Structures are given as C-alpha cells and as structure tokens.
Amino acid sequence: MVRYLMKILLTMGVAVSLTCPAGLAEAYEVQTMPQVKAEMLQADYWIHKIANPDQVILNPGQIEEFNREIIRKLPDSVYNLADYPSSWTREQLTRVIDYPFPSEPSYMGAEVVAASYWQQLKRQMNLDGLKEKNQVQYGFTVKRSNLKIYPTADVIGDEPNDPAFDLFQNSAILAAEPVVILHHSLDQQWYYVQMYNCLGWLPAADVAVCDRNTWLDYQNEPDFLVVTGNYIRLDQDPFLPQISAMEFTMGTRLPLVKPEDLPDSMRGRRVYQNYVVKLPVRNMSGQLEFVMAPIPISHDVTIGYLPYTRENVIRQAFKMQGERYGWGGMLNGRDCSALVLEVYRCFGFRLARNSDAQRLSAGKTLSFEGYSVAYREKLLQSVSPGASLHFSGHEMLYLGEDSGRYYVLSDLGSFAEIKAGETELHSVRVRTVVINDLNVTRASGVPWIEALTTAKLLEKTSFTDLANHPDRAVIENLADNYLVQGVSATEFNPEGTVSRAEFAAMLCRLWKLEPDQAEAQGQFTDVSDQWYAGVVGAAVKAGLFQGSDDKKFHPEAPLDRAQVAVILSRVPEISATGADGDQLEKFRDRDSIPSWAKEAMNKAIAKGLLRCQTPDQIAPLDLVTRSEAAVILDALLKMPAGEE
C-alpha cells in the first residue's frame, strides 16, 4: 500500500513526507522515455530555466484580437459561430456530409467491414432528407462527447482488434459547447453539427436545442469558471441524475450564476464554499434547460481565464502527464493537437482543431526546414518554452534545453527504437502523455529534431514606434516570421539606416542560408567573431555580397538604394532575367544613378523590388531605411515561384 501511494505521489509531483522510512522516496521509480530524469517530471524544473516566467504575454483583449486573427488566417477551419450562415443549400451540405468511405479494408473488431455496412451508413446520412434550403438550429452540448465522421458509435479500425483507434473519430467536444445544427440522421439519433473549429456527427442525446437569442446570451455571460485541472467531477446528485458526477475536462468554460439569482439552498443542501454554475441540460423533448450546479472551491478551476504566462502554460501542460493518448479525443483522452488546444483554452485562445491548421494559424512562426541539425539546435535556443513544435503528423509543447538536449511534452502515439543486440528499428506504441527529448526517432528512422518543420508561438509582434507607420503590417508580419528584428523588443526604428551586415542577415533568414563564420574570417580583415560574422560569410558564399579590394567587408557601412539594387541583381533568379524595357527613363534623376548600378536598378524597378520615392524620382543615392529594407524583403517573399 505504501509503495502504491508513493507511485501516486511521484506521478503527481507531490513532495514525499520526511516521516517515510529511509530510502522509501526512491523505492519506486516511474518509467520514463529515454534520457528523461526524475526531476524533469516536475514543472518547476523547467519553469526555473525561463527568464521572467510570470510575465504576461498577451492580455485578455489582445487574446480576443488574436482569436480574430486566427479566423482571418483560417476562414475555412475556425469560425465565429455568431457570424455563421443561417441556412445551407442542399449542394453545400452534401459536399461536407458525403465524406468518402475508406478504400482500404476496415475492421469492426476482428471482422472486415462488409459492403452492406457502408450502404446502410450511407442511408443513415440522410442525404435524401436535405432540402434545397436548410435552416440551421442552435444548441449546446450537455456533456463531453465525440464528433464522428459518420453517424454511428461503431469503432472502425484500419487493423483488426484495435479498440483504441477509430477511423470515424473526428474530435472530442467539451461540455457546454455551442454548436450549429445543420442536419440530422435518418433515425434522428444523430445531429450533423458545426462547432467553432470542427464539423461532425454528434449523438442527438448529447445536444440541447434552443433559440438563437438564448444561444448567444449563454455564450456571452460575462462571469464564468474555467476548468484548469486535467478534469473535475461534480458531486453525486440524486435529485438531478443527468448531471450527477458529471466530468469536465481542461478548458471547459462554465458560466457562473449571478449572485442575486442564488437560492438559499439547493436540492437539499447549502452550497457554502462552492461556486455555482449554470449548466445546459436536455429535457424530454430535446430542448435546452438550465440547471444550477455547485463546484467546490477546492477544485482546480479559476474565475475567468488564467493569465497568459509561460509559467502557466507549463503548469497546465504538466497536469496531463501520464494521461492516455486518445485518437481524435476518443476514450476521454486527447491527441497531440487537442492537448495543445485544451491547454491554451485556459487562457482564452480558440485554436484550430488539427496540427497542420494550428501550424498555419496566427502567431510567430519559426521555420526549421532546410537547416542542419546543428543550426536547428541553435534556432531552438530562441524558442520560448510553451511554444508548439510541429512536424508532419505530430505536434508537441517545447520545454527547453538540458545538458545539450532539447525536451518537449508530447501526447505521443509511438516512436521507434533499436533493441539491444539488434540493428533494425522497432515501432513502440506509447499512447501516453510523456516528456521526451528531440533525439527520439520516428518510425521512418528520422530523429524528431531532423523532422521538425515549425515552431509556433501564440503571440504577436507589436512595435510601439510603428503605431501610425504605413508599413506597420508588413514589418510586424516579417518579424512574426523571424525575418526581421527590432532594435529592441518594443521598437523597430523604421527610419534608421540599414548596414551591410544587417541586410546580409535579412537575406540569410529569407533564403535559409546557414551562418558561415569561417568563410567571413578567411576573406575579411574586419570580420572576426562579431554577431554578424556568420551571416556575412553565408551571404558572401552565396554570391550576394562582395568585399572591397583591401579585403574588408565594411559591415557597419550603410547601404544606399543603388547598392541594394546591385545586391538583389546577384540573386540567380533575378540575374538570369532581363527587365522589360527601360524602366528608368521616366525618372528625372536617372543621371545620378552610378553606371555600375543602372542595369540592376532597372531590374529592381521592373520586378517591384524598389519603390519610387516620388512618381518621377528614384533617389539612387538615398540611404535605405529599415522600413524600406523590410518592404524589399516582403517583395522578395511575394515574388512568383521561380522568380525569387
């Protein structure tokens, strides 16, 4: 019994009592992934490595704006349901509901699914019941449930006897979640619904239908609880069996009952030391009713959203350690993208459902593609803990570096390893939330760190000195993608000049040129170990820059527009093409263009890489400002494929 208690305490990260017998604290070691030490299982171990872990990253208003930006970037994946269409045509609904059945053999238990099963499922989709114009309905989930691709509770696998994987599982949906009802199954037992980030079939018994005004009012209740524990459970309630011992998982939002509406007693008890929430329930006719439910203040909940800090992100994620992986949220679990989504729901974020959409969503985005392992490790040093890391088919939360290894918290399906005495990789099915380092190997044999494509930080660049600048959006978007940097965390200095070293750094980031300090040191006497040594070497090696005859690079020298045009003309895709006619004849200051820069400036104007100062002035000798350099970078980024 004592050993079992120790196992629980160690798993929860609870300090062991000093009254335990000597050595008992080390008597039981939980299993971990390779290269994971026991102390790494504590959130504080990683939080102590973070500078200013309690600094608020975005306030609630900024998070709301961030959510709007998510919708703007992913208009086909994430919705403000209040703006959702009130009707759908037959053609529109058929397009989303009539999802193709698997082409490969599928299994229900040990048996191959027969053709007759698919035929019956097709009838259940009730496509013949669609009208030319279909009005939507509104409702709320009355419990955590599963959104399915087809209207059935059957578990259908891609191999025999795997009840933990369901091809039909689309997503879990939390309790008290608003949905738009688009259609119903032939037997009326399923609704086809849209939640804010996912479509699917939901058991009708798990939905309470209401009018639109009630639906909007409940979503807009100003005071609410957020479940911040891995899960909480209501007390047993013999008077309301539909909510008795109901479970709520992390990120669930539950409106609070107004103080003036609280009764003196509730179903035979006084609810002292309890929050009282307003829960949606389904009555006998399937319509929405609300009931009050007490939640003890000892439960892991918070009034309103948690402050968005790196410390809080790590603490929330660590509450899920050891939990079962659930494909698409089945088995009351989470998959990798749902773990990230539900952690960030605690701060008010409304993320896309799947990993790829989250990767393409709003926020700061650092690309790892095209870089060596050594440079990927260097890039990871600039990634803040709590960011999501992505590669094809998986995402995880970054924790930080320890002894030269880079660690993540991951809702892990499987990895590959070579067993002792063998040479071949074997797939290891994990299906658990674990901590692991990025040297773990995929089934393909590629280490995770080599497979990484992206780091995503849920924050936005905001430079205070760009408040009224016409190029603010361009500059801050480039900064969000790590292509330009400010002179500080809050200022860009848009009218400052750009040095040769700074422009080299911008081009290296744009074209993913890895730093080459040795190249610069071997060519130039004025470059040694400064911050720019690596990018100077890379840019020179790529043929973008040249030094002077005295073997100097002059890294701090500012660039003028003619010099920038010449640098751009050395880009192979630009140098190989000509300009369409004489683009310079319209400028009255064309005679001030140095002879060595005329062809380059002609190309730069033709390709839209240099903006004219006025309609009839090109100002070739004006120094390039930082904002102008950013606009040039943006133009290069947007050049048609094959022309950059």
Side-chain angles (χ1 to χ4, degrees), residues 407-459:
Y407 287 84
V408 295
L409 184 140
S410 172
D411 204 340
L412 179 57
S414 64
F415 72 104
E417 67 177 1
I418 298 176
K419 296 181 179 179
E422 298 186 15
T423 58
E424 292 186 1
L425 281 170
H426 296 269
S427 180
V428 180
R429 183 170 284 175
V430 179
R431 290 180 173 173
T432 302
V433 179
V434 299
I435 293 169
N436 61 270
D437 79 325
L438 292 176
N439 291 320
V440 166
T441 304
R442 304 192 73 187
S444 62
V446 177
W448 281 21
I449 194 163
E450 290 186 34
L452 283 182
T453 59
T454 311
K456 176 69 74 173
L457 288 80
L458 300 191
E459 53 192 87

Side-chain angles (χ1 to χ4, degrees), residues 253-420:
R253 181 184 185 275
L254 302 171
L256 286 159
V257 175
K258 294 180 175 63
E260 60 268 25
D261 294 334
L262 288 172
D264 290 335
S265 64
M266 186 181 302
R267 298 188 290 278
R269 61 177 290 203
R270 290 293 180 101
V271 287
Y272 298 140
Q273 281 81 57
N274 274 263
Y275 302 111
V276 180
V277 296
K278 181 179 175 182
L279 292 183
V281 295
R282 175 184 168 94
N283 66 19
M284 294 296 290
S285 61
Q287 297 299 300
L288 173 69
E289 293 182 359
F290 291 113
V291 298
M292 297 183 188
I295 294 180
I297 61 173
S298 57
H299 281 11
D300 195 345
V301 295
T302 180
I303 297 178
Y305 294 116
L306 287 173
Y308 178 34
T309 67
R310 305 203 194 287
E311 176 178 356
N312 281 341
V313 173
I314 300 299
R315 291 202 186 282
Q316 289 305 108
F318 267 66
K319 294 175 184 179
M320 298 184 184
Q321 274 193 95
E323 287 293 310
R324 184 187 186 97
Y325 173 93
W327 168 259
M330 64 184 297
L331 303 175
N332 209 32
R334 304 173 183 90
D335 56 22
C336 61
S337 54
L339 181 148
V340 173
L341 183 153
E342 292 184 20
V343 164
Y344 277 96
R345 277 183 70 122
C346 297
F347 310 104
F349 289 97
R350 307 284 280 175
L351 301 186
R353 174 58 185 89
N354 295 319
S355 175
D356 281 347
Q358 290 180 18
R359 175 178 58 84
L360 297 171
S361 186
K364 292 185 176 180
T365 307
L366 177 62
S367 173
F368 295 99
E369 293 182 282
Y371 290 123
S372 66
V373 169
Y375 196 61
R376 286 165 182 253
E377 291 178 343
K378 183 175 181 179
L379 289 175
L380 280 168
Q381 294 171 17
S382 66
V383 175
S384 300
S388 58
L389 302 183
H390 300 252
F391 56 71
S392 178
H394 192 53
E395 72 174 298
M396 62 224 82
L397 287 174
Y398 181 57
L399 296 178
E401 181 269 341
D402 190 87
S403 301
R405 293 179 178 270
Y406 298 85
Y407 287 84
V408 295
L409 184 140
S410 172
D411 204 340
L412 179 57
S414 64
F415 72 104
E417 67 177 1
I418 298 176
K419 296 181 179 179

Side-chain angles (χ1 to χ4, degrees), residues 167-183:
L167 285 169
F168 293 0
Q169 179 77 10
N170 203 13
S171 179
I173 181 169
L174 305 189
E177 191 73 16
V179 295
V180 179
I181 302 168
L182 307 179
H183 187 45

Side-chain angles (χ1 to χ4, degrees), residues 96 146 166 239 400 489 528 532 534 623:
V96 294
N146 291 318
D166 183 3
F239 298 97
S528 55
Y532 48 73
L623 295 180

